Amino acid sequence: MTSSRIMLASLAMTAVACGGPASSLEGSIGESYPLAFDRVEIRRQDDFLLIEYLKDIAGGTNKICKIVVDTRDLNIKGDSNIRGPLFLDVVQVTRVAAQGGDFPAVKSGKIHFDTFQFRANGHIEGDFEVVFETDRTLSGNFDDTSVELVDTT
């Protein structure tokens, strides 16, 4: 097999391991934290949107990247952006994993929603970009057509 075929095969396997082209994670933060994930789950918990990039591990699941958006005072629709100071006020980007610790504090970021149906079995699709206080970056895409409602009562 030629080196170009090996590279293409490697790239194809990486895309499959990371949930395919509709969902991805990349950035320089990957030099310090593994970014490979098995699936993306998008849930609504009260007025909070949770976007979780999940990796199955023995005995549980790591949240490779967890994005929480407080939607209480927002009017989000399709083709909407949250950026600047508002991003820092209403969006949290964390990592919940058995090893390796959490991401550094977020310095700036933006999240864009191509589609935003914030209801059971709704469709939410978009992308995000984050710069951490360490100047490391993280960006990704998300797409889920079966938003889950989480009952907190």
Side-chain angles (χ1 to χ4, degrees):
M1 192 181 277
T2 67
S3 62
S4 61
R5 285 187 181 164
I6 291 171
M7 183 184 292
L8 286 173
S10 175
L11 288 172
M13 286 188 288
T14 300
V16 169
C18 293
S23 298
S24 65
L25 282 177
E26 61 185 19
S28 61
I29 199 75
E31 295 170 14
S32 303
Y33 302 91
L35 298 179
F37 61 92
D38 296 317
R39 66 189 180 283
V40 173
E41 291 182 3
I42 300 180
R43 297 180 291 136
R44 177 180 181 166
Q45 185 172 345
D46 299 322
D47 291 325
F48 294 89
L49 170 67
L50 288 75
I51 304 167
E52 297 176 327
Y53 294 78
L54 303 172
K55 177 77 175 166
D56 295 326
I57 59 170
T61 303
N62 279 342
K63 294 177 182 174
I64 301 303
C65 179
K66 178 179 179 179
I67 301 168
V68 179
V69 181
D70 180 350
T71 67
R72 283 181 289 196
D73 297 323
L74 303 176
N75 184 19
I76 303 172
K77 298 179 181 175
D79 197 24
S80 292
N81 290 298
I82 301 172
R83 60 176 50 153
L86 181 60
F87 180 90
L88 296 175
D89 289 342
V90 301
V91 179
Q92 296 176 8
V93 180
T94 60
R95 180 176 182 274
V96 183
Q99 297 178 342
D102 198 0
F103 289 139
V106 173
K107 179 166 59 173
S108 65
K110 80 163 191 79
I111 189 165
H112 174 80
F113 295 100
D114 295 308
T115 306
F116 192 82
Q117 299 170 342
F118 199 39
R119 64 180 193 283
N121 298 312
H123 181 202
I124 294 182
E125 175 185 11
D127 58 85
F128 73 96
E129 297 173 8
V130 172
V131 178
F132 296 100
E133 292 289 343
T134 59
D135 289 327
R136 299 279 184 174
T137 61
L138 176 65
S139 61
N141 298 316
F142 49 88
D143 188 357
D144 193 346
T145 56
S146 58
V147 174
E148 176 187 350
L149 292 182
V150 178
D151 185 12
T152 59
T153 57

